[in-house]
Amino acid sequence: MPLFLYQKTYFLKIHAPWDVLATYADVLKIKVPFKASDIPHGQDVPLEWLSHPFRLPEHIMRPVPDYFTYPFDKGKTDFFLINDKDTFFPPSTRNRIVFYILARCPYYKEGRNDREKTGIKRLLSNGTYTAAFPLHDVRHKYDLTTTQSERYNLYKHWARFLCFYKEQPLNLIRKYYGEKIGIYFAWLGFYTEMLFFAAVMGLICFTYGALSYDDNISSKEICNDSIGGTILMCPLCDKKCPFWKLNSTCLSSWQSHLFDNEGTVFFAIFMGIWVTLFLEFWKRRQARLEYEWDLVDFEEEQQQLQIRPEFEIRCTNRRLNKITQEMEPYLPITSKCARFCLSGATVLFWVCLIVACIIGVIAYRLAVYAAFASIIKDPMRKIQVVGRFITPQLATSVTASCINFVIIMILNFFYEKVATHLEYENRLTMKMFLFQFVNYYSSCFYLAFFKGKFVGYPGEYSYMFGGLSKLRNEECDPGGCLIELSTQLVIVMAGKQLWGNIQEALLPKGRHHPENHYSRWEQDNVLLNFSQLGLFYEYLEMVIQFGFITLFVASFPLAPLLALFNNILEIRVDAWKFTTQFRRPVASKARNIGAWQEILNAVAILSVVTNAFIMAFTSDMIPRMVYLYAYSEKSNMRGYVNNSLSVYNISQIPEAHMPEEHDSWMDNSTTCRYRDYRYPPGHEREYKHTMQFWHILAAKMAFIIIMEHVVFVVKFFVAWMIPDVPSDVKARIKRERYLTQEYLHNYEVERLKLQLSASFITEPPSEMTSPTDKHEILSECL
């Protein structure tokens, strides 16, 4: 522990002798080996040579042999395989025991009731010590010892980017950093592996959209001068927006086809099943790790022993635990309610702040759209260089998405400062994810489910804040709102990943000094500190990404591919940070990914609903299918564009809605078109919804019900078919428990024999106890 005093840094190196380690290993019920395992790892896999390039050496993948383990008992040291007391407890266990002691060690004088003066964390917070950390074993780039060190092996086989295609040495990570960090990298690696299949399917879907480019009859009609060039569209905003020709959206209609095609439905269903397979297979992988890393009974055995020392100190109330029969700290119900109300009010305030910011962005979209529309009245004429690529819709969508991304980053920064103050991981996980969920996804929900749905029609338009404002609700592009949702998703998702990589690149680098000039503790002191919530932010980043590739993946099939590339880089960057830039963190145990598992399950279920609604209400797939099978005369898509546009009499448009300027080419036009299904002027039900509108609405609702039921049935069937714990792991757990009981019984019998034998030798014969009685006692014990 470095101590900064008078411009000098002093170090206290703490060593834990065997008696201390043995005592607290007994207290913490740490499992240690007592017999070499006789269970084989598994059978040879056919065509194993194909995976050979991705494998690591066996001594890296399995740095220690497999053993049967049992919670350490200081009174039974001869039961365990203690060949060398200096190496019996691995480094991660040693530093965990030491930190457990330091976190609870009081430093107030005897006789004084100053319970606040307890633990190394308080000494760090008041500046008595500047840092407290376990030491790395050697420098990461080279090893001067005869046997290669763990840190050197981790850097050589894991932290270098050139190893991106190699498997991760999870057992070595667990041995060096502890189970909690090991389980994070196991989850991240498994998630990245599963992303490969989603990325391939998304690429196939996108390729299909590109290859079927020329078969898109609707886009051809929009771009055709004799069809789209003759259709006059009604203004998209009041005063500033002019009448416009349909063929001005030619490019956006082609772009929309890349993501809005028949393959998108298949991909949305595939992702609903993929997310189930991912979660179910992860449970199996997690169960295997629990067994291999001796975490099967961890929660039951050590839950009461892992109470935070800060909670123990501040909580003066005690009550008897009925299970352990020990007094433990607890909070009264009044304190819990007060804390819950304060916490809930804080979260509610920030969520309301996010909603207010999103409403502001929507108002920006409505106001700026009119400005862009007045500037880009005729893109082909006004902007010669890039005019054909710019439309008011595209300009508004891109700028609004960028502004929304900046707001997201700013709100994240301030909320993290508030939420992480005196919070702990499980509660912080739920609160932070709720905040991030609203922050990142609210704009996507607006584009997917609200934009273009409450517009009205010429003469009866709907306005934001009712009649109090002149901001008319946004309409979807004739190509659909899906392309705008895709744009928003790309900007926010890619921007977040890029910003995260920039932040990691701009982190202050830990300085390295020559090994022969500086000691190991001086070398480590200049490295960065890995905070208590370090893994929390790593999980949060990946879970937010998981939400993007599941909740809105129907609008952008390439999202899993972007996530795959990011995660391949993320694994090696995180590995590099841990091995080269961070001090060695205090090892801690975890049998799973904690509250994140429930969050992933909730996102998976919600993703089925959101993708079904996106395909039904945001995509144009259902209206196209209804037209093709119910209204098309020749069973093809010819005439769909004209069919999907209603007619309005220009003379009936109120003066307050009419454009300020009229172009010469529309002087002879008496009607304009708008995107809806309403009866034309002069009809007895003028401007009311047609029967086709209700047919399409019924088809959309039927599609949602069918898709949700199909995907949920498949999800539940797959979840039922795949057991959470592999059968071989169940068998190994049962065998290990059986052998543990057998060996422990034999050990106790042998121990009792030795005790009885010693008593026969040392104790004189007694009239009260005969040799026959001794043999009867021994027989009963056996």
Side-chain angles (χ1 to χ4, degrees):
M1 294 181 296
L3 172 64
F4 188 78
L5 186 64
Y6 301 118
Q7 305 301 320
K8 292 183 179 181
T9 303
Y10 296 88
F11 292 88
L12 284 173
K13 186 178 179 182
I14 296 178
H15 171 71
W18 166 257
D19 289 339
V20 173
L21 293 175
T23 299
Y24 280 90
D26 193 352
V27 171
L28 295 174
K29 303 299 180 185
I30 293 174
K31 288 188 174 182
V32 293
F34 69 90
K35 183 185 182 299
S37 174
D38 58 357
I39 301 176
H41 294 308
Q43 300 178 351
D44 293 336
V45 180
L47 301 178
E48 188 178 1
W49 58 272
L50 290 175
S51 62
H52 184 72
F54 308 102
R55 300 290 181 186
L56 291 174
E58 184 66 17
H59 73 280
I60 301 297
M61 290 303 297
R62 298 188 178 276
V64 293
D66 284 343
Y67 293 102
F68 292 136
T69 60
Y70 186 75
F72 185 79
D73 188 341
K74 192 177 179 180
K76 302 176 181 178
T77 54
D78 53 337
F79 176 69
F80 303 101
L81 295 178
I82 306 177
N83 298 322
D84 185 356
K85 291 184 177 180
D86 293 334
T87 60
F88 179 67
F89 294 108
S92 59
T93 301
R94 295 171 70 95
N95 76 57
R96 185 160 66 95
I97 290 175
V98 171
F99 190 81
Y100 180 89
I101 298 171
L102 293 178
R104 290 161 173 77
C105 184
Y107 56 90
Y108 52 83
K109 294 181 179 179
E110 294 185 6
R112 293 184 59 183
N113 191 20
D114 193 357
R115 295 180 55 84
E116 290 292 325
K117 292 186 176 182
T118 303
I120 187 63
K121 289 186 177 180
R122 182 169 179 82
L123 291 172
L124 291 171
S125 63
N126 64 23
T128 303
Y129 290 96
T130 58
F133 51 86
L135 296 177
H136 284 293
D137 46 12
V138 297
R139 288 203 66 187
H140 62 276
K141 287 190 176 180
Y142 58 87
D143 189 1
L144 299 177
T145 60
T146 55
T147 40
Q148 291 181 350
S149 70
E150 294 164 0
R151 189 188 187 195
Y152 173 79
N153 283 330
L154 285 171
Y155 177 77
K156 181 179 178 181
H157 298 282
W158 180 51
R160 296 188 303 164
F161 182 74
L162 293 178
C163 300
F164 73 92
Y165 62 94
K166 295 281 190 178
E167 60 184 336
Q168 296 188 87
L170 296 177
N171 289 316
L172 188 58
I173 298 170
R174 173 244 182 169
K175 181 183 178 184
Y176 193 72
Y177 291 112
E179 288 80 2
K180 191 171 185 178
I181 292 177
I183 206 79
Y184 163 72
F185 280 104
W187 176 81
L188 180 57
F190 182 77
Y191 171 46
T192 305
E193 292 171 12
M194 292 294 292
L195 272 178
F196 173 79
F197 303 100
V200 169
M201 193 58 63
L203 187 61
I204 292 174
C205 178
F206 179 80
T207 304
Y208 171 79
L211 294 178
S212 60
Y213 215 57
D214 295 334
D215 299 331
N216 186 8
I217 298 176
S218 298
S219 294
K220 288 181 177 179
E221 290 184 347
I222 291 175
C223 297
N224 194 319
D225 291 337
S226 60
I227 301 177
T230 60
I231 296 179
L232 181 68
M233 301 296 294
C234 299
L236 295 176
C237 64
D238 298 339
K239 292 293 185 180
K240 299 295 183 182
C241 297
F243 292 94
W244 52 286
K245 292 293 183 67
L246 182 60
N247 64 350
S248 65
T249 62
C250 175
L251 182 63
S252 64
S253 67
W254 285 113
Q255 293 171 340
S256 179
H257 178 73
L258 292 174
F259 308 113
D260 190 4
N261 54 68
E262 293 79 4
T264 308
V265 182
F266 171 78
F267 184 64
I269 296 175
F270 169 82
M271 287 302 295
I273 299 173
W274 173 88
V275 73
T276 303
L277 292 174
F278 163 65
L279 294 175
E280 292 300 319
F281 284 136
W282 165 245
K283 291 178 184 177
R284 293 171 62 84
R285 176 73 65 88
Q286 187 172 256
R288 193 175 297 278
L289 289 175
E290 285 180 14
Y291 168 72
E292 294 177 354
W293 292 356
D294 294 324
L295 298 170
V296 174
D297 301 319
F298 165 71
E299 194 170 34
E300 291 76 13
E301 291 179 351
Q302 300 192 20
Q303 186 175 12
Q304 302 302 324
L305 298 170
Q306 300 300 321
I307 298 176
R308 297 190 306 272
E310 296 86 352
F311 177 73
E312 292 178 356
I313 295 168
R314 296 182 181 181
C315 187
T316 57
N317 298 296
R318 296 288 190 273
R319 67 179 176 186
L320 182 67
N321 187 309
K322 295 181 180 179
I323 299 175
T324 62
Q325 293 297 310
E326 295 179 358
M327 299 301 291
E328 63 178 12
Y330 83 103
L331 279 177
I333 189 66
T334 53
S335 299
K336 288 183 179 180
C337 290
R339 289 169 181 259
F340 178 80
C341 292
L342 178 62
S343 177
T346 303
V347 175
L348 182 62
F349 167 78
W350 282 95
V351 169
C352 293
L353 183 61
I354 296 172
V355 173
C357 291
I358 295 301
I359 293 174
V361 173
I362 295 173
Y364 164 85
R365 298 174 69 101
L366 301 181
V368 171
Y369 180 83
F372 279 125
S374 62
I375 297 172
I376 315 175
K377 293 180 180 178
D378 186 352
M380 297 297 292
R381 185 180 73 247
K382 296 291 184 183
I383 304 177
Q384 298 296 330
V385 181
V386 294
R388 67 181 62 193
F389 303 110
I390 293 181
T391 61
Q393 292 93 338
L394 179 61
T396 303
S397 179
V398 171
T399 56
S401 298
C402 293
I403 292 173
N404 185 68
F405 174 72
V406 172
I407 292 175
I408 287 172
M409 293 296 103
I410 293 174
L411 290 177
N412 274 352
F413 174 79
F414 286 106
Y415 185 75
E416 286 175 5
K417 297 297 183 183
V418 174
T420 57
H421 181 63
L422 294 179
E423 279 288 357
Y424 290 91
E425 204 158 333
N426 275 343
R427 290 185 178 181
L428 180 63
T429 296
M430 303 304 298
K431 294 174 186 175
M432 183 64 81
F433 180 76
L434 175 62
F435 169 80
Q436 299 274 20
F437 184 91
V438 178
N439 198 20
Y440 277 104
Y441 304 142
S442 54
S443 58
C444 294
F445 273 101
Y446 165 72
L447 290 174
F449 308 123
F450 295 97
K451 182 180 177 181
K453 309 300 186 295
F454 310 99
V455 176
Y457 60 95
E460 293 291 335
Y461 284 119
S462 300
Y463 290 82
M464 188 177 184
F465 307 119
L468 300 178
S469 71
K470 297 183 179 180
L471 300 177
R472 205 170 91 189
N473 288 348
E474 285 185 282
E475 296 186 41
C476 286
D477 188 272
C481 276
L482 198 70
I483 188 65
E484 290 192 54
L485 179 58
S486 303
T487 303
Q488 175 79 14
L489 194 65
V490 170
I491 291 177
V492 176
M493 179 181 173
K496 181 184 183 301
Q497 295 179 352
L498 181 62
W499 178 251
N501 292 331
I502 291 175
Q503 281 183 312
E504 291 180 347
L506 295 179
L507 277 175
K509 302 296 186 294
R511 302 187 301 274
H512 300 286
H513 300 299
E515 193 68 41
N516 56 350
H517 289 170
Y518 292 87
S519 61
R520 176 76 270 141
W521 44 89
E522 290 175 302
Q523 292 271 335
D524 286 4
N525 187 44
V526 296
L527 297 179
L528 303 176
N529 182 46
F530 186 76
S531 67
Q532 181 184 0
L533 297 173
L535 276 186
F536 167 80
Y537 290 112
E538 301 292 347
Y539 273 117
L540 181 63
E541 179 183 0
M542 290 297 104
V543 172
I544 292 297
Q545 180 201 87
F546 179 80
F548 278 122
I549 69 165
T550 53
L551 295 174
F552 309 103
V553 74
S555 65
F556 187 56
L558 294 181
L561 185 63
L562 293 180
L564 176 64
F565 289 148
N566 177 80
N567 288 8
I568 291 174
L569 179 64
E570 182 75 19
I571 290 175
R572 303 303 159 177
V573 169
D574 286 349
W576 173 78
K577 288 190 303 184
F578 271 95
T579 54
T580 68
Q581 302 301 306
F582 284 131
R583 296 168 185 160
R584 190 173 182 175
V586 176
S588 58
K589 285 200 170 215
R591 64 177 299 181
N592 49 43
I593 61 175
W596 298 111
Q597 184 74 40
E598 298 303 321
I599 290 175
L600 292 175
N601 290 332
V603 172
I605 294 174
L606 182 61
S607 67
V608 178
V609 180
T610 56
N611 283 299
F613 273 85
I614 286 173
M615 295 307 303
F617 288 97
T618 310
S619 168
D620 275 349
M621 186 202 67
I622 299 299
R624 289 199 299 262
M625 293 298 101
V626 171
Y627 175 80
L628 178 64
Y629 294 110
Y631 290 90
S632 175
E633 296 180 357
K634 298 181 180 180
S635 298
N636 57 42
M637 293 302 296
R638 296 189 183 278
Y640 169 73
V641 172
N642 184 65
N643 176 266
S644 64
L645 300 174
S646 298
V647 181
Y648 195 84
N649 193 335
I650 293 179
S651 62
Q652 294 179 309
I653 297 178
E655 185 63 28
H657 299 173
M658 285 292 289
E660 295 175 345
E661 301 179 8
H662 297 273
D663 292 315
S664 58
W665 46 264
M666 51 85 53
D667 289 341
N668 297 327
S669 301
T670 58
T671 60
C672 63
R673 311 293 293 273
Y674 59 100
R675 186 180 173 85
D676 208 342
Y677 293 91
R678 295 180 183 271
Y679 289 108
H683 193 276
E684 60 180 2
R685 300 190 62 196
E686 184 179 64
Y687 305 135
K688 301 295 183 182
H689 282 126
T690 64
M691 284 303 298
Q692 187 174 354
F693 169 84
W694 299 109
H695 290 164
I696 292 173
L697 182 61
K700 288 179 178 180
M701 300 306 298
F703 173 82
I704 292 173
I705 294 173
I706 293 172
M707 179 178 171
E708 286 184 354
H709 280 70
V710 169
V711 175
F712 277 129
V713 166
V714 174
K715 279 172 63 70
F716 291 131
F717 178 74
V718 169
W720 175 75
M721 285 288 293
I722 302 176
D724 292 347
V725 182
S727 57
D728 65 312
V729 173
K730 287 182 179 179
R732 291 184 178 192
I733 293 174
K734 291 179 180 178
R735 174 165 172 75
E736 181 167 345
R737 286 176 175 171
Y738 166 75
L739 291 177
T740 300
Q741 292 177 355
E742 183 180 4
Y743 278 94
L744 190 61
H745 172 73
N746 293 337
Y747 167 79
E748 294 291 350
V749 169
E750 293 296 329
R751 189 177 179 182
L752 182 58
K753 286 181 180 179
L754 293 175
Q755 291 176 352
L756 292 176
S757 298
S759 66
F760 281 124
I761 296 172
T762 58
E763 294 181 7
S766 172
E767 296 180 358
M768 300 298 295
T769 305
S770 64
T772 306
D773 296 333
K774 295 256 184 184
H775 287 300
E776 289 178 357
I777 295 173
L778 179 60
S779 301
E780 290 177 2
C781 293
L782 293 174

